[in-house]
């Protein structure tokens, strides 16, 4: 009897143990994260977001498949290479002027443990990087796998500037490989990045750990080169001249956008409608070429079987004027240059939804940390928009947007208005964005109280941002 009872007891323990094992929850794999980063791409360059001239079927599909943040901004820059500031903020999580201090400090000591890639690695992620970097710190100290690190821009040549002078000026052709640039090495850099990404996905999908991929295109930065078939998609006669076109921008020298600024020398002074059309033709063409490369990256993700557990972010470091307001570059405070596209798709992200709340493009970093279950370090100032994307909240992250360019431009965007301040020109511009989205009519003289109110708000933002530019002494009348 004793043996029988002992046998029954053992059977019971075995059954109980088996039940407990079955009830034990299976640990879910953390989501993968892919970040697709364009260079110089304005929010106005996606067909699904309102540009009927451009062809972007892959980016259109991202819009349809997820959430688009319609009011996404970059803060600006501390020098002409706006992308340096944007990418430093993106990888460190710090607001602009504190990111500048981080950059200065990183020259003296290794701060890689404070970067986006290292934070993801600390949570068990495989980390991959390819493409444009443009930070002082080395990318291989921030990511485990690094391939084809690109500089701020492809090599340019004198033939790419001050053109076209007329319809007979065909010195430069975007598909001509003799100029190097995107063709340096024999294959277009966007295609090389695509191949790197496909290889990363094939490798990462075979491993148990989740992956984080930082895929940074140089496109559509100048020199805007692409295969001829993409340029042929955009006959010059079919390209529209922007509503804000003008031959020269007033106060261009005082705001740092004169003939000494590299970007602005790409087209002739004064601007002509034809030169603007050609620049936009090449801009659209390189974006369509990049769009095709992104399609192949997404196809590889689908094939890998990892798509259903992957969040995909697409955005750009900043926008570009490309002929608007008499400007060619991005060193200005108009929406075409500070506002970028941002789409996110993923397992629990609604489809074909638009969110109008203000965010900064660098909020992507903070959002990815939340999705990966990583506690946000105290130095990461940008905010996650995960709840906004999932529809779990209607609370926006920012009441106002701050913008700046070196010491010569400041901006605040709030309550449907934008105030742009030019201290060296001693001038302010005010735009009613709801009624004037193209920013064509300066209403500062008609709305003096609104100017004063926004100026006061801008001063508070400067203090919050550690922005040391003294606007009070330039505009004392705004203090009364």
């Amino acid at each position: 009897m004793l043996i029988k009872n002992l046998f029954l007891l053992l059977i019971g323990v075995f059954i109980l143990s088996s039940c407990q094992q079955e009830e034990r929850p299976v640990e879910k794999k953390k989501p993968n994260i892919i970040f697709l980063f364009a260079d110089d791409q304005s929010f106005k360059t996606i067909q699904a977001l309102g540009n009927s001239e451009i062809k972007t079927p892959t980016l259109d599909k991202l819009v349809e498949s997820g959430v688009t943040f319609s009011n996404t901004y970059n803060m600006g820059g501390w020098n002409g290479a706006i992308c340096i500031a944007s990418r430093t903020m993106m990888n460190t999580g710090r607001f602009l002027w504190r990111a500048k201090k981080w950059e200065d400090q990183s020259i003296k000591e290794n701060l890689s443990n404070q970067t986006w890639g290292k934070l993801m690695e600390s949570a068990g992620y495989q980390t991959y990087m390819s493409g444009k970097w443009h930070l002082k710190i080395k990318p291989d100290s921030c990511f485990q796998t690094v391939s084809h690190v690109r500089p701020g821009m492809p090599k340019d040549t004198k033939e790419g500037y001050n053109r076209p002078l007329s319809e007979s000026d065909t010195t430069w052709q975007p598909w001509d490989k003799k100029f190097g640039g995107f063709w340096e090495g024999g294959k277009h850099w966007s295609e090389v990045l695509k191949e790197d990404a496909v290889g990363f996905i094939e490798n990462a999908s075979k491993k148990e750990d989740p992956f984080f991929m930082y895929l940074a295109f140089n496109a559509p930065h100048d020199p805007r080169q692409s295969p001829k078939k993409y340029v042929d998609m955009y006959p010059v006669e079919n390209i529209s001249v922007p509503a804000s076109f003008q031959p020269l921008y007033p106060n261009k020298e005082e705001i740092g956008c004169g003939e000494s600024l590299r970007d602005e020398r790409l087209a002739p002074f004064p601007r002509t409608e034809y030169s603007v059309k050609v620049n936009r033709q090449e801009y659209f063409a390189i974006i369509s070429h990049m769009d095709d490369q992104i399609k192949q990256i997404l196809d590889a993700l689908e094939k890998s079987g990892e798509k259903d557990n992957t969040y995909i972010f697409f955005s750009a470091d900043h926008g570009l004027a490309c002929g608007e307001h008499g400007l060619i570059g991005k060193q200005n405070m108009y929406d075409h240059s500070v506002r970028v596209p941002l789409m996110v798709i993923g397992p629990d992200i609604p489809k074909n939804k638009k969110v109008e709340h203000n965010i900064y493009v660098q909020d992507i970093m903070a959002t990815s940390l939340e999705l990966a279950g990583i506690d946000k370090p105290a130095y990461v100032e940008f905010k996650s928009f995960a709840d906004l994307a999932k529809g779990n909240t209607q609370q926006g992250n920012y009441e106002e947007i701050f913008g700046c360019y070196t010491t010569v431009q400041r901006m605040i965007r709030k309550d449907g208005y934008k105030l742009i301040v030019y201290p060296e020109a001693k001038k302010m511009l005010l735009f009613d964005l709801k009624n004037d989205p193209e920013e064509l009519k300066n209403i500062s003289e008609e709305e003096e109280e609104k100017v004063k109110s926004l100026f006061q708000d801008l001063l508070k933002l400067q203090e919050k941002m550690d922005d040391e530019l003294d606007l009070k002494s330039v505009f004392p009348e705004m203090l009364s």
Side-chain angles (χ1 to χ4, degrees):
M1 178 65 72
L2 180 61
I3 295 174
K4 181 178 179 182
N5 288 341
L6 182 60
F7 177 75
L8 291 173
L9 178 62
L10 290 172
I11 292 293
V13 170
F14 175 76
I15 293 172
L16 179 61
S17 176
S18 298
C19 291
Q20 288 176 337
Q21 288 179 2
E22 289 176 4
E23 292 173 2
R24 187 178 300 159
V26 177
E27 186 175 347
K28 185 180 178 182
K29 178 183 175 182
K30 287 187 175 184
N32 309 307
I33 293 171
I34 293 179
F35 176 47
L36 298 165
F37 207 18
D39 189 1
D40 281 18
Q41 187 171 358
S42 169
F43 78 102
K44 293 184 172 186
T45 57
I46 297 176
Q47 187 175 103
L49 300 182
N51 186 335
S52 61
E53 292 183 358
I54 199 166
K55 298 173 178 64
T56 51
T58 306
L59 298 181
D60 294 347
K61 188 174 181 180
L62 287 181
V63 171
E64 295 163 4
S65 302
V67 171
T68 298
F69 285 84
S70 302
N71 290 292
T72 304
Y73 303 92
N74 179 53
M75 285 184 178
W78 51 73
N79 61 23
I82 305 297
C83 31
I84 292 178
S86 178
R87 290 160 197 270
T88 303
M89 287 186 282
M90 181 68 77
N91 282 280
T92 68
R94 290 164 168 81
F95 286 169
L96 189 134
W97 295 111
R98 285 184 281 274
K100 175 67 170 70
K101 292 177 182 176
W102 183 94
E103 182 197 51
D104 294 340
Q105 187 180 355
S106 73
I107 298 172
K108 304 172 185 176
E109 59 183 298
N110 183 5
L111 301 177
S112 61
N113 64 316
Q114 299 177 8
T115 60
W116 189 5
K118 280 298 184 183
L119 290 172
M120 299 300 287
E121 182 184 345
S122 71
Y125 276 77
Q126 311 167 61
T127 62
Y128 300 83
M129 181 270 168
S130 180
K132 179 167 175 172
W133 184 234
H134 223 190
L135 274 72
K136 298 292 186 184
I137 197 167
K138 299 295 184 184
D140 56 8
S141 69
C142 304
F143 296 87
Q144 294 165 309
T145 302
V146 176
S147 180
H148 292 105
V149 179
R150 303 298 190 184
M153 62 176 287
K155 181 182 178 182
D156 57 356
T157 63
K158 61 182 178 60
E159 291 86 357
Y161 290 86
N162 193 40
R163 65 169 192 87
L165 295 173
S166 67
E167 294 188 27
S168 61
D169 181 359
T170 57
T171 304
W172 171 275
Q173 299 291 359
W175 56 86
D176 192 339
K177 297 183 180 181
K178 74 180 180 186
F179 294 117
F182 276 94
W183 298 112
E184 196 71 38
K187 183 177 290 186
H188 196 285
W189 288 9
S190 292
E191 296 172 18
V192 174
L193 177 60
K194 174 257 306 205
E195 292 176 358
D196 286 345
V198 169
F200 290 165
I201 290 169
E202 290 174 352
N203 177 61
S205 63
K206 296 173 184 175
K207 301 179 181 180
E208 292 185 4
D209 292 335
F211 57 78
F212 166 53
M213 294 182 184
Y214 182 100
L215 306 174
F217 290 90
N218 279 87
H221 196 291
D222 69 277
R224 289 181 275 273
Q225 297 162 296
S226 55
K228 188 174 186 297
K229 75 172 186 177
Y230 291 92
V231 181
D232 289 344
M233 289 165 57
Y234 299 100
V236 172
E237 59 269 22
N238 294 343
I239 302 293
S240 300
V241 175
S244 62
F245 170 81
Q246 53 186 320
L248 293 172
Y249 186 75
N251 306 114
K252 60 183 173 61
E253 299 297 336
E254 294 97 326
I255 69 166
C257 293
E259 298 186 29
S260 62
L261 183 64
R262 188 203 67 82
D263 298 54
E264 295 299 332
R265 295 200 306 271
L266 288 166
F269 290 95
R271 315 309 190 188
T272 64
E273 290 192 2
Y274 181 73
S275 68
V276 165
K277 284 186 173 186
V278 170
N279 273 271
R280 294 175 75 80
Q281 173 198 44
E282 295 169 7
Y283 189 41
F284 292 172
I286 195 173
I287 290 172
S288 290
H289 178 246
M290 180 181 68
D291 186 271
D292 275 357
Q293 311 318 305
I294 293 173
K295 179 183 186 303
Q296 294 178 62
I297 295 172
L298 300 181
D299 286 347
L301 179 65
E302 182 86 49
K303 183 179 178 182
S304 74
E306 291 287 341
K307 183 180 178 183
D308 290 343
N309 192 40
T310 301
Y311 289 96
I312 302 167
F313 296 90
F314 173 85
S315 195
D317 53 357
H318 47 72
L320 193 72
C322 204
E324 300 200 53
H325 290 97
L327 302 167
I328 296 295
K330 59 265 188 178
Q331 297 86 352
N332 62 85
M333 295 293 104
Y334 289 101
D335 267 16
H336 47 65
S337 296
V338 298
R339 187 174 163 196
V340 296
L342 195 164
M343 294 88 80
V344 54
I345 67 173
D348 49 0
I349 302 296
K351 295 184 184 298
N352 201 23
K353 178 184 175 184
K354 292 184 176 60
V355 174
E356 300 294 332
H357 289 291
N358 291 333
I359 66 170
Y360 291 106
V361 61
Q362 291 82 12
D363 288 342
I364 292 173
M365 188 262 222
T367 305
S368 74
L369 297 181
E370 180 177 343
L371 295 174
I374 302 171
D375 291 335
K376 191 174 80 165
Y379 59 78
V380 174
E381 300 177 90
F382 291 100
K383 302 176 182 179
S384 171
F385 54 72
D387 281 345
L388 272 173
K390 295 176 183 180
N392 296 336
T393 182
Q394 292 301 313
Q395 183 68 39
N397 285 350
Y398 309 95
E399 291 183 8
E400 56 219 352
I401 292 294
F402 171 78
C404 66
Y405 175 54
T406 66
T407 60
V408 294
Q409 298 180 48
R410 289 297 181 270
M411 180 272 285
I412 181 171
R413 201 180 197 280
K414 183 177 181 181
D415 297 334
Y417 288 87
K418 177 188 287 188
L419 180 70
I420 299 176
V421 179
Y422 296 151
E424 291 195 6
K426 294 183 173 54
K427 185 175 181 179
M428 296 193 196
L429 309 177
L430 179 68
F431 297 102
D432 177 351
L433 299 171
K434 182 178 179 181
N435 296 307
D436 180 22
E438 297 297 319
E439 299 168 282
L440 301 175
K441 185 180 179 183
N442 172 23
I443 59 171
S444 59
E445 293 184 3
E446 304 163 29
E447 298 283 351
E448 292 182 4
E449 290 306 312
K450 175 61 72 174
V451 170
K452 282 190 175 183
S453 173
L454 287 174
F455 184 81
Q456 293 295 331
D457 291 335
L458 176 58
L459 294 179
K460 293 174 185 175
L461 267 183
Q462 281 190 285
E463 185 175 353
K464 180 180 178 181
M465 299 285 177
D466 282 350
D467 177 7
E468 298 176 355
L469 180 65
D470 179 13
L471 295 178
K472 294 180 181 179
S473 62
V474 180
F475 300 99
E477 69 278 8
M478 292 290 111
L479 306 179
S480 58

